[in-house]
Amino acid sequence: MTTDMNNSLYELPTESPRFVGQQVRRIEDPALVSGSVEFIDNVTLPGMLHAAILRCPHPHARIVSIDTTAARQLPGVVAVLTGEDVKRWCNPVVTAPEGWGAYCLAVDKARFVGEPVMAIAATDRYIAEDACELVEVEYEVLPAVPDAPAAIAADSPLLFENQNSNVMLQRVYDWGEVEPLFERADHIVRETFRWNRVGANPMETFGCISQWNLADNSLTCRGSYQTPSFMVLGRSASLNLPSNKVRIIAHPHGGSFGGKGGPRGTDISALLSRKAGGRPVKYIEDRAEYLLAGGGQSWDRYYEAALAVMADGTVTGLKVKLLDDQGAGAEGYGTISVAKPLAAFTGPYRIQAAQYDLTVVATNRAPTFAYRGYGPPPHNLVLETLMDSAARELGIDSAEIRRRNYIQPEQFPYTIPSGNEYDSGNYPEVLARALQMADYEALRAQQQTARDEGRYLGIGVVSTVEPGVFDWNAYRTAGVQGVGVPEGARVNFDMLGQVTVTVGFALEGQGQYTVAAQVVADYFGLEMDAVRVVCASSDAAPPHFGPGGSRVGVALTGAVLGACHKIAEKFRRVGAVLLQCEPDDLELAGGAVRMRERPEAQLGLADLAGTMLARSDLLPPDMDPHPGATHVWTPPGRTEPDEQGRCKSYLTAANATHVVLVEVDPDTGVTEILKYVIVDDCGTRLNPANVEGQVQGGVAQGVGAALLEQYVYTEDGQPLVSTFADYLMPTLHEVPITQKGAVVTPSPFTPLGAKGCGEGSIHITPAAVICAINDALQPLGVKVRETPASPSRIWNLIREAGT
Amino acid sequence: MKPAPFDYYAPDTLSDVVALLQRLENDDIDAKVLAGGQSLLPMLSLRVARPEALVDLRKLADLNYIREEGDTLAIGAMTTKSAVEDSPLVQRRQPLLHAATRLVGHRQIRNRGSFGGSFTQADPASEYPAAAIALDMELKVVGPDGERRVAAQDFFITYMTTDLDTTEVLTEIRVPALPAGTGWSFQEIARRHGDFAMAGVAVTLRVENGVCRAPRIVAFGVGATALRLPEAEQVVDGKALDSALFQEAGHAGAAALEEPSSDVHASADYRRQLVAVLVARGLAEAVARSAA
Amino acid sequence: MTTRHQISVTVNGVNYQREVDARLTLADFVRHDLSLGGTHVGCEHGVCGACTILVNGASMRSCLMLAVQADGAELTTVEGLSRNGELHPVQQAFIDRHGLQCGFCTPGFLISTAELLQGNPNPSDDEIADALGGHLCRCTGYQSILESVQLAAQMMREGTIVDAASPAEA
C-alpha cells in the first residue's frame, strides 16, 4: 500500500520558478540584523509587573510551610502566589501517559531541584528577586531517586504516590520474527550505551507577558511560543478556562529546538496577573533557571542492543532495550522521544525484523522535554555503532557494510519493520558521493600512516534516515492523544496587488517565512518584496501547529500552494467576467491572468484584486469578491498505530551520510575533528541556503552532544549544571567547517517534492563523531560507550585498558 | 539573575580609594574593589557575591600604562588585558605573558577586564597567577601605610585569596626581564577554547651547552593556587636535554601534586595526567624556543 | 541599601542623562531604560556574548558592566551600525551569506565583527575565530557566520556591496 496524493493542487503554475529552489536572501533578516525585532523581553505593557520564581533546592522534599510575610512587606511587591492558590484554581498539567504531571507550582511536595515553589510579581525584576530571598520555606527532605536504575530498584521511593511505581511505561514491541533471525545469525554483535542528558539551550530563554482579564475571565499571553495552538489547549486545561478564552500571541523567538518550555512560566505569570488585579505580568526565565529547570533537558538513556549478522555482512535483526529517565514526570512530553525512533528504527537498512524493549521511568531529575530530533540521535548512535562493530567482527570496511545493507532506490516506497513508510531515496548514491568528496581511500591511507607513527586517527562513515513531516497519531502508542498537525495559511491580495500571508507560528530561525514568500512570488509572478508574511494570534490565525517534527517547510508550502490555487481559481472567474470568456479560457502567467489563445488579452493581478474589492458591482452578485483564500494542509495517507505501534507516521524520509576524520590524543583524551564531509538528500531544496543552515546547525549541536554537553547530576540527584561555564556549547573553535554535497530525490508525496530537513543533522552527527573516535581508539582496544566523549572520559578508558 | 543591592563609590584618586576602604572597614561594611568586573559581575548577578559596597577604580586613569623601567616592564593594574595583548612591548619583551594573555577568556572579556584584576581574583585556574610565578613578577600594593612590594610567589595564598589586605589596592605589576636566550612555554588544556583550563603549565628555562639551566615550571588549574613544581624542575636542572627526561619531569611534577581539584570537567587523576603531559610538552617547547 | 547615581552616556551619537540604581546592569539600562532592545541578553553571566556592545570603541559584554560604570562613555549598539537607513556592510554581509537564523545572538556577532574589521581589514579564519570565539550561536553552526565576516571584509575593502545572493547569480 502506498500513499495516494493529489499533487495537482500543489504545483507551481510555472516551469521556471525565479525563487523556489534558489538561494534567495531571507525576508526575515533586515529586521533581525537591525535589532528591531520584537522579542518578548523587548515588549513593555502599561502597568506591567515582573515575576520571579522561588525554586526548590532539594531533589525531593515535602513542603511543610511557606512564610511570605516579609516578602509581602517589601516595597514594590504586588502579588504573591503559592501552592495553595494553585491548588484552588488549577489542575495538574496534562501528560502522556496520563497522571504523571504536577501543578505549575509545587503543591505539597517538590520533585526536582528547581521546581517552582512560589512566585512574586513586583514593579521590577530586581525587587522581585529580592523578595524571593525573604520568603522562608520549611522543607522535609525526602529520599531521592537520583537516576533511572534507582527508579526501578525494589525499594525505590515513589515520585507520584498515586502511581504505585516509578515506571511510566513498559512494553516490548516485536516487529517480525526476531528470535529466529538471531538464532540463525552467523554473528551477534552486542553493545551497551549510556547517553547522558543534553538539551536545546536556544540563545533566548523562555519569556512571556500574561494578562488575566478579570472582566470576562479571559487570558492573553504574549511570548516566545513555538506551538501556540498547543499552548492554548494546555493552558485551558491547567487554568480551567474555556479554550476560546485563552489567546496566545506568539512573538519571534531566539531559537527553540523544541526545548523552550513555557507551560509553567505561563501559568504562573497568568495567575500572578489574576492576583494583581489583571495587571500584565512579565516572566523572563533566566539562564540559570533554564539550565536547572527549563524545558531544556532531553534524552537520559541506558541502552543494551544487539544486531544479528550473516557471514556476508547482511544484517537481519535488531534488538534494542532502552531504560529511559524522563525526570520528574511527563510534563514535557518526553515520552514522545522514546517513541519517535519507531519512525526510522532500522535506519537506512533492509533489516527484516526488530524488537524494542522499552522502560520509561520517573526520577528526581528535571523533567525532560523535546529537543531537536526528539529521540533518534541516541538510537542512531546505538545502531550505527553496532554496524561498525559488525564490520569490525567480519573484517568488512565500515562504508562497505552499510552499502551492502541499504534499502535500494527501486524498493521505495519501503515499509520498515516498525511500520513507517519511507517515501523515496538513493542511499548508495549518497554514500558514493560522500566517499568521493572525502577521498575515502586517501583518508584510510592517511590513517594507516598515522598509526605507523603512533598517532590515532579515526574515520566515521555513518548513514541515517531523518523522518520528516510528523503526524501526532503515531504517538498514541506512547499514550499521547493526537491533537492533529494542520498547517494553515491565509493568503490575501489587497487592492493594490500586494500580498499578505498569515500563518499561526512566529519566527524562530528556520526561514520558513522566506519559503512562503518564495512560493507566493513564483505562483503569481511577483517580486518577493510584494509578499509579506505575518503571524496572527491564536484566535485569529488559520488552524496551525507550527514548527516541530521537521514539517513546516513542507506543510507551509502545501498550505500556501493550496491557498494560491484557490485564489487563482477566483481570479480566473473574475477575469472571465471582465474579459467576457470562460474561466477555462484563462491562465495565470507572468503576474497576470490572460487568455490562453490570445495572451495579449490579460488583466493584472492588482486589477483583478482591485475590481473584487472596490468594484464588485461589476461582478455577478453570487461571485466571491475576496481576493484571498485560506488553505489547511495535512500530511496525506497517515495511519494510526496498530497494537505493535506500527503506522505510517512520517511522510518523508530524508537521508544523509557523514564522513568524519578525527584524531584522538591518547595522552590527554582530546579529540580533534580534522575533516567533516556531508552529503544529504532531502528532496527538492526549496532554499538551499536554508537547508545548509539547518544541516550545519545540526552538526554543531551534534558535536556538542558527542564531545561537550552534559547535564551532570550527583549521585544524590543534585544538578551540577547551572551556568554556561558548566554546560558547554560548542563555539566557532569547536564546530568543524564542513564540506557539503547534495543528492536530490524529490519526494513523491509532498508539495514540490521537498522532505523534512530540520533535524537530520543532529540525528547523525553524534553517531558519526563517536564512530570516528572509536575507529581511532581501535588499536588501543577501547571503545566509547558513554556520551559525551570528553577528554577525561576517553583518557580513563585508555588508562583502564592499560592496567 | 539580578544583583542584590549594594552601595557604589567611584573615588577620584588612589588615596581616596584607600581612605574609603578604611572607612568602610571601620564601619564593618563588607566592601569589594571593582576594577574590570569580568569575574565579579557574574558573581553579583548570580548573587554568589553579596558585598554591601563596591569601590570602583575606574577613575584611576593613572593606573593605566605599560612602560619600560630599565629591564623591567611596569604595567598599571587598571590596564586592560587587551592592551597588554596588543602591546608590542609585551610581545617583544615578554612573549610568555603575551601568550598567557591570549588564553584569558575571549577578546570581549579582555577588552574590559583589568590586568590587575586577575591577580587579585587569584582564581587558581586562571593564567596570570601562573605567568606571574613563572616570570617572577613583583606586585606593587598601596594601602593606609603606604606602598609595599610583594613577590608573586608570596602573593597568592590559597583559592581566591591573596596577600592583599581589605584596605589595600594592587596598583602595578612589575615584570623583570628574562635572561637572554631564555626559552618559554605556556600551555593549557581547556574543554573549549577560552574556558578556564582543566590544567596548564608555564615553563621557562635556559639551555647552555646542551644542558638545561634554571628551569622554572609552574602548574595551574590543579590546586588551590598556581604552584611551582620543584620536583619536576629538579629532574631536568643541569641535565642534558632528552625527551624521556621531560616525561620523567612531568611524572615527578604530577606525582608531587597534593590533591588536584576535581569537578564536572575533570577528575583529580585526569588533572594529574594533564600536568604530566603538559610539563613534558612545555619543556620540549621551551627548549625549542631557547637560544641554545 | 542601594545608592542611586546620575549618569551621562552617549549611545549611537545621542546623549542620555539618567539616574540609575547602582546595581542596574548596563545591558538592562540600554535595553529597558533607553529602549534600545537590539542588544539581547542570553545568559547574564558573561558567557554567550549576545549582549556585546562597543564601549568607547571596544567590544564588551554589557551584562558584565554596571550602568554606572558607563558614566561618560560612548556606546555603540546594533541600532547604531546602520547610517541614514543604509545597513552597515557587516549587516548586509550577514544577510547575503545567511549568517543568521533566529537572529538572537546576531547583534553581538555584528558588533564584534565591526570592531574586528575596523582594525583588521583582511582577517584570516583564525583571527575571525579569535574575535568571535566568545559568542555562542545555537542555530547556524558558525560556518555561514565565518563566510559572512569574510564577505563583509571584502565589501569594506572594496567599498562596495557585493551582490552575493541574488537568485540570478545563484
Side-chain angles (χ1 to χ4, degrees), chain A residues 460-486:
Chain A
V461 182
V462 166
S463 304
T464 56
V465 167
E466 173 189 10
V469 195
F470 94 113
D471 187 81
W472 270 110
N473 290 333
Y475 296 114
R476 288 173 75 171
T477 193
V480 180
Q481 292 306 308
V483 294
V485 279

PDB file of all heavy atoms in Angstrom, chain A residues 460-486:
ATOM      1  N   GLY A 460      34.809   7.999  10.738  1.00  0.00           N
ATOM      2  CA  GLY A 460      33.415   7.584  10.900  1.00  0.00           C
ATOM      3  C   GLY A 460      32.701   7.718   9.575  1.00  0.00           C
ATOM      4  O   GLY A 460      32.797   8.756   8.919  1.00  0.00           O
ATOM      5  N   VAL A 461      32.040   6.644   9.157  1.00  0.00           N
ATOM      6  CA  VAL A 461      31.174   6.707   7.971  1.00  0.00           C
ATOM      7  C   VAL A 461      29.802   6.255   8.447  1.00  0.00           C
ATOM      8  O   VAL A 461      29.608   5.082   8.784  1.00  0.00           O
ATOM      9  CB  VAL A 461      31.661   5.774   6.843  1.00  0.00           C
ATOM     10  CG1 VAL A 461      30.752   5.917   5.623  1.00  0.00           C
ATOM     11  CG2 VAL A 461      33.095   6.081   6.482  1.00  0.00           C
ATOM     12  N   VAL A 462      28.882   7.166   8.510  1.00  0.00           N
ATOM     13  CA  VAL A 462      27.607   6.870   9.148  1.00  0.00           C
ATOM     14  C   VAL A 462      26.471   7.349   8.260  1.00  0.00           C
ATOM     15  O   VAL A 462      26.554   8.423   7.659  1.00  0.00           O
ATOM     16  CB  VAL A 462      27.564   7.559  10.534  1.00  0.00           C
ATOM     17  CG1 VAL A 462      26.154   7.582  11.099  1.00  0.00           C
ATOM     18  CG2 VAL A 462      28.508   6.852  11.501  1.00  0.00           C
ATOM     19  N   SER A 463      25.413   6.519   8.187  1.00  0.00           N
ATOM     20  CA  SER A 463      24.244   6.865   7.371  1.00  0.00           C
ATOM     21  C   SER A 463      22.991   6.771   8.221  1.00  0.00           C
ATOM     22  O   SER A 463      22.828   5.823   8.998  1.00  0.00           O
ATOM     23  CB  SER A 463      24.086   5.894   6.194  1.00  0.00           C
ATOM     24  OG  SER A 463      25.258   5.855   5.423  1.00  0.00           O
ATOM     25  N   THR A 464      22.103   7.737   8.067  1.00  0.00           N
ATOM     26  CA  THR A 464      20.840   7.686   8.803  1.00  0.00           C
ATOM     27  C   THR A 464      19.696   8.170   7.926  1.00  0.00           C
ATOM     28  O   THR A 464      19.904   8.751   6.862  1.00  0.00           O
ATOM     29  CB  THR A 464      20.883   8.578  10.064  1.00  0.00           C
ATOM     30  OG1 THR A 464      21.223   9.893   9.674  1.00  0.00           O
ATOM     31  CG2 THR A 464      21.870   8.072  11.083  1.00  0.00           C
ATOM     32  N   VAL A 465      18.500   7.899   8.443  1.00  0.00           N
ATOM     33  CA  VAL A 465      17.280   8.387   7.810  1.00  0.00           C
ATOM     34  C   VAL A 465      16.622   9.377   8.765  1.00  0.00           C
ATOM     35  O   VAL A 465      16.531   9.118   9.969  1.00  0.00           O
ATOM     36  CB  VAL A 465      16.315   7.222   7.511  1.00  0.00           C
ATOM     37  CG1 VAL A 465      14.924   7.738   7.153  1.00  0.00           C
ATOM     38  CG2 VAL A 465      16.879   6.367   6.383  1.00  0.00           C
ATOM     39  N   GLU A 466      16.199  10.497   8.239  1.00  0.00           N
ATOM     40  CA  GLU A 466      15.502  11.505   9.045  1.00  0.00           C
ATOM     41  C   GLU A 466      14.020  11.469   8.715  1.00  0.00           C
ATOM     42  O   GLU A 466      13.606  11.898   7.636  1.00  0.00           O
ATOM     43  CB  GLU A 466      16.028  12.907   8.724  1.00  0.00           C
ATOM     44  CG  GLU A 466      15.221  14.000   9.403  1.00  0.00           C
ATOM     45  CD  GLU A 466      15.563  15.413   8.935  1.00  0.00           C
ATOM     46  OE1 GLU A 466      16.287  15.563   7.952  1.00  0.00           O
ATOM     47  OE2 GLU A 466      15.074  16.361   9.573  1.00  0.00           O
ATOM     48  N   PRO A 467      13.193  10.975   9.639  1.00  0.00           N
ATOM     49  CA  PRO A 467      11.757  11.044   9.377  1.00  0.00           C
ATOM     50  C   PRO A 467      11.322  12.510   9.405  1.00  0.00           C
ATOM     51  O   PRO A 467      11.682  13.246  10.312  1.00  0.00           O
ATOM     52  CB  PRO A 467      11.133  10.282  10.554  1.00  0.00           C
ATOM     53  CG  PRO A 467      12.277   9.673  11.316  1.00  0.00           C
ATOM     54  CD  PRO A 467      13.506  10.440  10.956  1.00  0.00           C
ATOM     55  N   GLY A 468      10.562  12.904   8.400  1.00  0.00           N
ATOM     56  CA  GLY A 468      10.135  14.310   8.332  1.00  0.00           C
ATOM     57  C   GLY A 468       8.633  14.414   8.179  1.00  0.00           C
ATOM     58  O   GLY A 468       7.976  13.489   7.673  1.00  0.00           O
ATOM     59  N   VAL A 469       8.090  15.538   8.591  1.00  0.00           N
ATOM     60  CA  VAL A 469       6.661  15.843   8.495  1.00  0.00           C
ATOM     61  C   VAL A 469       5.867  14.868   9.375  1.00  0.00           C
ATOM     62  O   VAL A 469       5.243  13.925   8.901  1.00  0.00           O
ATOM     63  CB  VAL A 469       6.150  15.807   7.041  1.00  0.00           C
ATOM     64  CG1 VAL A 469       4.788  16.470   6.968  1.00  0.00           C
ATOM     65  CG2 VAL A 469       7.130  16.489   6.103  1.00  0.00           C
ATOM     66  N   PHE A 470       5.873  15.121  10.663  1.00  0.00           N
ATOM     67  CA  PHE A 470       5.328  14.144  11.587  1.00  0.00           C
ATOM     68  C   PHE A 470       3.810  14.224  11.698  1.00  0.00           C
ATOM     69  O   PHE A 470       3.179  15.193  11.289  1.00  0.00           O
ATOM     70  CB  PHE A 470       5.988  14.290  12.965  1.00  0.00           C
ATOM     71  CG  PHE A 470       5.262  15.166  13.952  1.00  0.00           C
ATOM     72  CD1 PHE A 470       4.697  14.599  15.092  1.00  0.00           C
ATOM     73  CD2 PHE A 470       5.174  16.530  13.782  1.00  0.00           C
ATOM     74  CE1 PHE A 470       4.056  15.405  16.024  1.00  0.00           C
ATOM     75  CE2 PHE A 470       4.540  17.326  14.704  1.00  0.00           C
ATOM     76  CZ  PHE A 470       3.962  16.772  15.835  1.00  0.00           C
ATOM     77  N   ASP A 471       3.263  13.183  12.258  1.00  0.00           N
ATOM     78  CA  ASP A 471       1.830  13.115  12.500  1.00  0.00           C
ATOM     79  C   ASP A 471       1.616  12.659  13.931  1.00  0.00           C
ATOM     80  O   ASP A 471       2.225  11.695  14.378  1.00  0.00           O
ATOM     81  CB  ASP A 471       1.185  12.128  11.523  1.00  0.00           C
ATOM     82  CG  ASP A 471      -0.322  12.172  11.651  1.00  0.00           C
ATOM     83  OD1 ASP A 471      -0.927  13.072  11.067  1.00  0.00           O
ATOM     84  OD2 ASP A 471      -0.889  11.307  12.358  1.00  0.00           O
ATOM     85  N   TRP A 472       0.770  13.365  14.640  1.00  0.00           N
ATOM     86  CA  TRP A 472       0.533  13.044  16.046  1.00  0.00           C
ATOM     87  C   TRP A 472       0.072  11.615  16.269  1.00  0.00           C
ATOM     88  O   TRP A 472       0.365  11.020  17.304  1.00  0.00           O
ATOM     89  CB  TRP A 472      -0.565  13.946  16.605  1.00  0.00           C
ATOM     90  CG  TRP A 472      -0.076  15.210  17.197  1.00  0.00           C
ATOM     91  CD1 TRP A 472      -0.252  16.455  16.686  1.00  0.00           C
ATOM     92  CD2 TRP A 472       0.650  15.384  18.422  1.00  0.00           C
ATOM     93  NE1 TRP A 472       0.321  17.383  17.510  1.00  0.00           N
ATOM     94  CE2 TRP A 472       0.869  16.760  18.582  1.00  0.00           C
ATOM     95  CE3 TRP A 472       1.128  14.500  19.402  1.00  0.00           C
ATOM     96  CZ2 TRP A 472       1.553  17.278  19.679  1.00  0.00           C
ATOM     97  CZ3 TRP A 472       1.802  15.020  20.492  1.00  0.00           C
ATOM     98  CH2 TRP A 472       2.012  16.392  20.614  1.00  0.00           C
ATOM     99  N   ASN A 473      -0.716  11.116  15.317  1.00  0.00           N
ATOM    100  CA  ASN A 473      -1.327   9.810  15.540  1.00  0.00           C
ATOM    101  C   ASN A 473      -0.310   8.765  15.963  1.00  0.00           C
ATOM    102  O   ASN A 473      -0.606   7.861  16.743  1.00  0.00           O
ATOM    103  CB  ASN A 473      -2.036   9.334  14.269  1.00  0.00           C
ATOM    104  CG  ASN A 473      -3.274  10.165  13.997  1.00  0.00           C
ATOM    105  OD1 ASN A 473      -3.863  10.702  14.930  1.00  0.00           O
ATOM    106  ND2 ASN A 473      -3.639  10.294  12.740  1.00  0.00           N
ATOM    107  N   ALA A 474       0.907   8.918  15.445  1.00  0.00           N
ATOM    108  CA  ALA A 474       1.935   7.917  15.728  1.00  0.00           C
ATOM    109  C   ALA A 474       2.157   7.767  17.215  1.00  0.00           C
ATOM    110  O   ALA A 474       2.555   6.705  17.700  1.00  0.00           O
ATOM    111  CB  ALA A 474       3.237   8.322  15.042  1.00  0.00           C
ATOM    112  N   TYR A 475       1.918   8.839  17.961  1.00  0.00           N
ATOM    113  CA  TYR A 475       2.296   8.829  19.365  1.00  0.00           C
ATOM    114  C   TYR A 475       1.209   8.333  20.292  1.00  0.00           C
ATOM    115  O   TYR A 475       1.378   8.334  21.505  1.00  0.00           O
ATOM    116  CB  TYR A 475       2.845  10.203  19.752  1.00  0.00           C
ATOM    117  CG  TYR A 475       4.101  10.441  18.980  1.00  0.00           C
ATOM    118  CD1 TYR A 475       4.203  11.431  18.026  1.00  0.00           C
ATOM    119  CD2 TYR A 475       5.180   9.572  19.140  1.00  0.00           C
ATOM    120  CE1 TYR A 475       5.357  11.584  17.277  1.00  0.00           C
ATOM    121  CE2 TYR A 475       6.330   9.713  18.400  1.00  0.00           C
ATOM    122  CZ  TYR A 475       6.418  10.721  17.466  1.00  0.00           C
ATOM    123  OH  TYR A 475       7.560  10.844  16.729  1.00  0.00           O
ATOM    124  N   ARG A 476       0.112   7.855  19.730  1.00  0.00           N
ATOM    125  CA  ARG A 476      -0.858   7.179  20.586  1.00  0.00           C
ATOM    126  C   ARG A 476      -0.224   5.963  21.226  1.00  0.00           C
ATOM    127  O   ARG A 476      -0.614   5.545  22.313  1.00  0.00           O
ATOM    128  CB  ARG A 476      -2.082   6.788  19.770  1.00  0.00           C
ATOM    129  CG  ARG A 476      -2.908   8.010  19.411  1.00  0.00           C
ATOM    130  CD  ARG A 476      -4.003   7.686  18.473  1.00  0.00           C
ATOM    131  NE  ARG A 476      -5.086   6.996  19.155  1.00  0.00           N
ATOM    132  CZ  ARG A 476      -6.242   6.745  18.585  1.00  0.00           C
ATOM    133  NH1 ARG A 476      -6.461   7.127  17.348  1.00  0.00           N
ATOM    134  NH2 ARG A 476      -7.186   6.120  19.233  1.00  0.00           N
ATOM    135  N   THR A 477       0.779   5.425  20.577  1.00  0.00           N
ATOM    136  CA  THR A 477       1.448   4.261  21.147  1.00  0.00           C
ATOM    137  C   THR A 477       2.196   4.621  22.433  1.00  0.00           C
ATOM    138  O   THR A 477       2.481   3.759  23.249  1.00  0.00           O
ATOM    139  CB  THR A 477       2.387   3.604  20.107  1.00  0.00           C
ATOM    140  OG1 THR A 477       2.789   2.325  20.587  1.00  0.00           O
ATOM    141  CG2 THR A 477       3.608   4.466  19.838  1.00  0.00           C
ATOM    142  N   ALA A 478       2.515   5.916  22.616  1.00  0.00           N
ATOM    143  CA  ALA A 478       3.166   6.356  23.868  1.00  0.00           C
ATOM    144  C   ALA A 478       2.163   7.049  24.776  1.00  0.00           C
ATOM    145  O   ALA A 478       2.551   7.744  25.715  1.00  0.00           O
ATOM    146  CB  ALA A 478       4.331   7.294  23.549  1.00  0.00           C
ATOM    147  N   GLY A 479       0.900   6.910  24.486  1.00  0.00           N
ATOM    148  CA  GLY A 479      -0.115   7.469  25.372  1.00  0.00           C
ATOM    149  C   GLY A 479      -0.500   8.900  25.050  1.00  0.00           C
ATOM    150  O   GLY A 479      -1.232   9.540  25.801  1.00  0.00           O
ATOM    151  N   VAL A 480      -0.023   9.422  23.947  1.00  0.00           N
ATOM    152  CA  VAL A 480      -0.320  10.813  23.605  1.00  0.00           C
ATOM    153  C   VAL A 480      -1.602  10.874  22.784  1.00  0.00           C
ATOM    154  O   VAL A 480      -1.738  10.184  21.778  1.00  0.00           O
ATOM    155  CB  VAL A 480       0.828  11.430  22.782  1.00  0.00           C
ATOM    156  CG1 VAL A 480       0.515  12.875  22.441  1.00  0.00           C
ATOM    157  CG2 VAL A 480       2.127  11.335  23.558  1.00  0.00           C
ATOM    158  N   GLN A 481      -2.539  11.692  23.242  1.00  0.00           N
ATOM    159  CA  GLN A 481      -3.748  11.899  22.459  1.00  0.00           C
ATOM    160  C   GLN A 481      -3.422  12.834  21.303  1.00  0.00           C
ATOM    161  O   GLN A 481      -2.919  13.925  21.500  1.00  0.00           O
ATOM    162  CB  GLN A 481      -4.844  12.512  23.334  1.00  0.00           C
ATOM    163  CG  GLN A 481      -5.351  11.571  24.398  1.00  0.00           C
ATOM    164  CD  GLN A 481      -5.815  10.242  23.815  1.00  0.00           C
ATOM    165  OE1 GLN A 481      -6.616  10.218  22.893  1.00  0.00           O
ATOM    166  NE2 GLN A 481      -5.302   9.141  24.347  1.00  0.00           N
ATOM    167  N   GLY A 482      -3.734  12.407  20.091  1.00  0.00           N
ATOM    168  CA  GLY A 482      -3.426  13.227  18.927  1.00  0.00           C
ATOM    169  C   GLY A 482      -4.239  14.505  18.923  1.00  0.00           C
ATOM    170  O   GLY A 482      -5.436  14.490  19.198  1.00  0.00           O
ATOM    171  N   VAL A 483      -3.591  15.615  18.664  1.00  0.00           N
ATOM    172  CA  VAL A 483      -4.319  16.857  18.514  1.00  0.00           C
ATOM    173  C   VAL A 483      -4.201  17.373  17.086  1.00  0.00           C
ATOM    174  O   VAL A 483      -4.607  18.473  16.791  1.00  0.00           O
ATOM    175  CB  VAL A 483      -3.819  17.946  19.488  1.00  0.00           C
ATOM    176  CG1 VAL A 483      -4.111  17.566  20.915  1.00  0.00           C
ATOM    177  CG2 VAL A 483      -2.344  18.208  19.300  1.00  0.00           C
ATOM    178  N   GLY A 484      -3.666  16.524  16.217  1.00  0.00           N
ATOM    179  CA  GLY A 484      -3.601  16.902  14.819  1.00  0.00           C
ATOM    180  C   GLY A 484      -2.438  17.813  14.512  1.00  0.00           C
ATOM    181  O   GLY A 484      -1.866  18.444  15.394  1.00  0.00           O
ATOM    182  N   VAL A 485      -2.055  17.827  13.257  1.00  0.00           N
ATOM    183  CA  VAL A 485      -0.981  18.711  12.819  1.00  0.00           C
ATOM    184  C   VAL A 485      -1.406  19.446  11.552  1.00  0.00           C
ATOM    185  O   VAL A 485      -0.796  19.299  10.507  1.00  0.00           O
ATOM    186  CB  VAL A 485       0.337  17.958  12.575  1.00  0.00           C
ATOM    187  CG1 VAL A 485       1.047  17.725  13.875  1.00  0.00           C
ATOM    188  CG2 VAL A 485       0.089  16.659  11.852  1.00  0.00           C
ATOM    189  N   PRO A 486      -2.485  20.232  11.658  1.00  0.00           N
ATOM    190  CA  PRO A 486      -2.845  21.027  10.487  1.00  0.00           C
ATOM    191  C   PRO A 486      -1.834  22.155  10.315  1.00  0.00           C
ATOM    192  O   PRO A 486      -1.240  22.597  11.298  1.00  0.00           O
ATOM    193  CB  PRO A 486      -4.206  21.601  10.881  1.00  0.00           C
ATOM    194  CG  PRO A 486      -4.121  21.744  12.360  1.00  0.00           C
ATOM    195  CD  PRO A 486      -3.271  20.586  12.829  1.00  0.00           C
TER     196      PRO A 486
END
